Amino acid sequence: MSDMEIWIVIVALAVSTAITRSGFWLVGHKVTIPRRVQEMLRYAPSCALAAIIGPDLLLDPSTQALTLLNGKVLAGIAAVGWYLWRRNMLETIVFGMLFFTAVRLLHLF
């Protein structure tokens, strides 16, 4: 692809992303979401997090050894423990990443 084609694709994707993400912001007051759908949407962040982290923990060849000597597995267990203690998704993400970074930088395993 030429440089011009790459920039056209980048701009097109940026515009389409802005339009789809700002849709509820622009017309959100005119659209009512049913209560059942709102209740289901409460689980969207945890499902997205599981969809991102699950395959990395379970399908990555470097993490096939599900032992406590594996930094990713250890960080995942620590993050689950943090979530069960605090019940806050954002804190869990931050804590899990900090824990994994500390394990990796300190070469604990």
Side-chain angles (χ1 to χ4, degrees):
M1 292 180 75
S2 70
D3 288 343
M4 182 59 126
E5 290 172 328
I6 292 172
W7 280 108
I8 290 171
V9 169
I10 290 172
V11 169
L13 290 174
V15 168
S16 67
T17 300
I19 289 171
T20 57
R21 291 184 183 226
S22 65
F24 279 109
W25 182 64
L26 295 174
V27 294
H29 61 281
K30 297 179 183 177
V31 176
T32 57
I33 298 174
R35 192 170 82 87
R36 183 174 167 115
V37 173
Q38 286 180 351
E39 290 174 4
M40 289 187 291
L41 286 175
R42 286 181 349 141
Y43 300 103
S46 58
C47 291
L49 187 62
I52 293 168
I53 294 174
D56 190 41
L57 280 176
L58 301 174
L59 300 178
D60 187 16
S62 68
T63 60
Q64 290 295 320
L66 294 177
T67 66
L68 292 180
L69 298 177
N70 187 329
K72 287 182 181 180
V73 172
L74 194 60
I77 292 170
V80 167
W82 183 272
Y83 179 77
L84 292 174
W85 178 48
R86 302 289 296 189
R87 299 285 183 190
N88 186 315
M89 187 62 68
L90 182 59
E91 286 181 13
T92 301
I93 294 168
V94 171
F95 176 78
M97 291 305 298
L98 288 174
F99 191 91
F100 177 67
T101 302
V103 167
R104 194 174 48 128
L105 291 177
L106 298 174
H107 303 289
L108 295 176
F109 298 104

